[in-house]
Amino acid sequence: MTDPRTFARDLGLPGLQDLHTHFLPPRVMAKVRAQFDSAGPLIGRAWPLRYRDEDDVLVETLRSFGVRRFTALPYAHKPDMAEFLNDWAVGFAARVPEAAVCGTFFPEPGVAAYVAERSATVEVWKIHVQVGAFTVTDPLLDEAWGVVADTGTPVVLHAGSGPVPTEHTGPGPVADLLARHPRLRLVIAHAGAPEYAEFLRLAEAYERVALDTTMAFTPFFEEMGGGAYPAELLPRLRDLGLGGKVHLGSDFPIIPYAYGVQLDALAALDLGDEWLRAVCWDNTAALLSSPGTPDAARRG
């Protein structure tokens, strides 16, 4: 299995930039781990977590892998939770220089106001419609989406139907959302698994829509029901990556295998070193220094 530092060095990179990692308040993380330990209803199978230390240990683990930028990506699943998570994520980023300032929002009264208030500092938003049990087209969110589109801040969006589909997942609501807010800067988590073709098409059609690689292409994820990434889509995925629209994601620490497995899976796609350099560094470096992410250039 690939050593992450060796992987980056062999590509001529100073390290890795991982757009999809999770750090959460301790009690929230404990509940998330319990769901995975029990193979909860939105997980669907045994998922033995490989990494389950305290935050300071997990941060040092990422540093030991040569990960130079990463995220916290909190996500709310009920009203009156998002701002608690947002406050915690601001504190986490203040303690950890490599961490982007992350935030989340939820369909609730006042959501547009707190999204607007935090837009000057949040570098990456996270939305998880499967866990949150809401649709991206909920009317309560419309004004907030407008704010996010105007600021250009990226949103890592879990809307694909993996690992377990719900009435809120799938490409249809996202297509409807983009029809209303075409300037949204969305990063579709897990490459949209298992609706790979449909989400790839959205990334091709909309200037600011991208994909992340999180868990996609790994043997574990192929067993989740979505199957292998369709080979016929790979040339288009290569073009998207070289066009700045594919980002390395891992889901660390909520993964059932070593961090390097994701890197091996990307290399096995045989899309070339230039593509790997773009996906594992260049694209995310550009995203986190784009308009709407004012702290990125300063933090480096």
Side-chain angles (χ1 to χ4, degrees):
M1 182 186 62
T2 294
D3 172 76
R5 282 189 176 272
T6 301
F7 179 88
R9 184 175 62 248
D10 288 350
L11 289 171
L13 295 176
L16 303 169
Q17 300 215 15
D18 190 335
L19 190 61
H20 194 139
T21 62
H22 289 288
F23 290 87
L24 298 165
R27 279 194 276 185
V28 178
M29 181 63 86
K31 291 180 180 179
V32 170
R33 287 172 175 157
Q35 286 294 308
F36 283 92
D37 289 342
S38 63
L42 296 179
I43 297 164
R45 62 158 294 174
W47 194 301
L49 298 177
R50 177 68 176 259
Y51 303 98
R52 50 192 316 144
D53 293 295
E54 300 298 321
D55 283 352
D56 56 346
V57 176
L58 293 173
V59 167
E60 287 302 325
T61 300
L62 284 177
R63 289 171 175 160
S64 76
F65 295 156
V67 181
R68 301 281 296 276
R69 292 300 306 277
F70 51 86
T71 52
L73 299 189
Y75 48 91
H77 66 272
K78 61 183 179 180
D80 300 319
M81 183 180 187
E83 281 287 75
F84 161 71
L85 293 172
N86 293 339
D87 286 340
W88 184 90
V90 168
F92 177 78
R95 297 189 302 273
V96 181
E98 299 94 335
V101 180
C102 295
T104 189
F105 51 94
F106 190 83
E108 58 189 339
V111 57
Y114 68 73
V115 168
E117 182 179 353
R118 292 189 180 271
S119 288
T121 53
V122 167
E123 296 176 77
V124 184
W125 296 103
K126 167 66 175 179
I127 296 293
H128 198 320
V129 301
Q130 181 204 45
V131 173
F134 62 87
T135 178
V136 292
T137 55
D138 189 306
L140 284 170
L141 290 176
D142 191 61
E143 186 178 350
W145 284 125
V147 172
V148 174
D150 288 343
T151 60
T153 306
V155 182
V156 175
L157 173 64
H158 185 141
S161 297
V164 176
T166 74
E167 62 183 300
H168 307 291
T169 60
V174 180
D176 292 342
L177 174 67
L178 287 165
R180 182 165 178 79
H181 298 287
R183 296 291 292 164
L184 277 170
R185 195 179 300 275
L186 303 182
V187 180
I188 305 300
H190 307 283
E195 294 102 347
Y196 293 117
E198 293 89 340
F199 281 108
L200 179 67
R201 193 175 303 119
L202 289 176
E204 292 171 329
Y206 288 90
E207 177 187 356
R208 289 178 159 188
V209 176
L211 309 173
D212 80 30
T213 69
T214 306
M215 296 192 75
F217 322 113
T218 66
F220 181 86
F221 220 54
E222 290 179 4
E223 297 168 5
M224 294 294 293
Y229 193 86
E232 66 272 17
L233 300 182
L234 289 176
R236 294 160 61 190
L237 185 70
R238 181 180 186 278
D239 291 344
L240 273 185
L242 294 176
K245 300 179 72 171
V246 181
H247 301 272
L248 172 65
S250 67
D251 239 354
F252 177 91
I254 312 297
I255 48 176
Y257 46 70
Y259 188 92
V261 169
Q262 176 76 82
L263 304 178
D264 284 337
L266 295 178
L269 297 176
D270 200 24
L271 298 180
D273 286 357
E274 185 181 0
W275 185 84
L276 289 171
R277 283 189 287 269
V279 169
C280 294
W281 184 273
D282 297 342
N283 296 347
T284 300
L287 184 73
L288 293 181
S289 61
S290 63
T293 56
D295 285 352
R298 175 178 60 81
R299 293 159 66 88

